[in-house]
Amino acid sequence: MHVTGTTALSPDWDHYRTAVVDIRFPGRTVHVEPRAFGTAGGCFPQAAGGAAVHVITAWNPRGRTASADANARAHRLLLGRLRGLGLDWWPAEGGDPGGTHREESVAVVGLDDAAARALGRRFGQDAVFAWTPGAWRVLACGTGAASVSGWAASARGRARSRSAG
């Protein structure tokens, strides 16, 4: 794993570097987890067309646990923002590898890293994820810091899905 621009990282940075994400594409859920730098295991989603998939949440802004109502309201605002920008997205859920902490998220296509970081900042987030065919990256929203690793993706069977894009 490579880390760049490490000034002023969140105390939760190590949790973000080990986080896993489930993305609900039409007909299947894809589970993505970090791996050794340079590793790409599984298939990158064709639906992304080779573009970066940024995973963003609006839950628990500023690293503070919010109520279910506050998280739901923040998520609705995030979805409204994505619709307003005309971006393609899929429902996602990110959390720790053991599954004890999960946050409703979105997997978005059509943003560059700067725009994804700005959207994360808008919703009070420390970091967002960027998945490309060659890397899984954790991008700090408040600085230019990034942690770069490889990834492994595995299908999790058929899933109900909706694209708002």
Side-chain angles (χ1 to χ4, degrees), residues 101-128:
H101 177 81
R102 304 296 281 179
E103 294 188 1
E104 189 172 14
S105 306
V106 291
V108 184
V109 173
L111 297 173
D112 61 20
D113 289 350
R117 283 177 155 128
L119 192 55
R121 273 193 310 277
R122 179 183 183 114
F123 288 93
Q125 300 303 306
D126 292 330
V128 297

Side-chain angles (χ1 to χ4, degrees), residues 23-161:
I23 303 172
R24 293 187 304 275
F25 292 104
R28 66 189 166 98
T29 296
V30 174
H31 178 79
V32 185
E33 53 190 60
R35 287 287 192 255
F37 182 77
T39 302
C43 293
F44 188 76
Q46 287 183 334
V53 176
H54 288 91
V55 180
I56 303 168
T57 187
W59 277 36
N60 301 324
R62 290 161 203 47
R64 295 183 182 98
T65 301
S67 70
D69 287 343
N71 281 333
R73 187 171 38 258
H75 188 71
R76 284 192 304 274
L77 290 171
L78 173 59
L79 295 181
R81 182 72 180 142
L82 296 175
R83 287 183 188 109
L85 293 170
L87 296 170
D88 290 331
W89 63 274
W90 300 275
E93 188 176 78
D96 68 280
T100 58
H101 177 81
R102 304 296 281 179
E103 294 188 1
E104 189 172 14
S105 306
V106 291
V108 184
V109 173
L111 297 173
D112 61 20
D113 289 350
R117 283 177 155 128
L119 192 55
R121 273 193 310 277
R122 179 183 183 114
F123 288 93
Q125 300 303 306
D126 292 330
V128 297
F129 301 100
W131 183 25
T132 63
W136 176 256
R137 296 176 293 132
V138 181
L139 307 174
C141 292
T143 70
S147 177
V148 183
S149 67
W151 55 267
S154 57
R156 298 287 172 143
R158 301 204 51 84
R160 291 183 321 169
S161 180

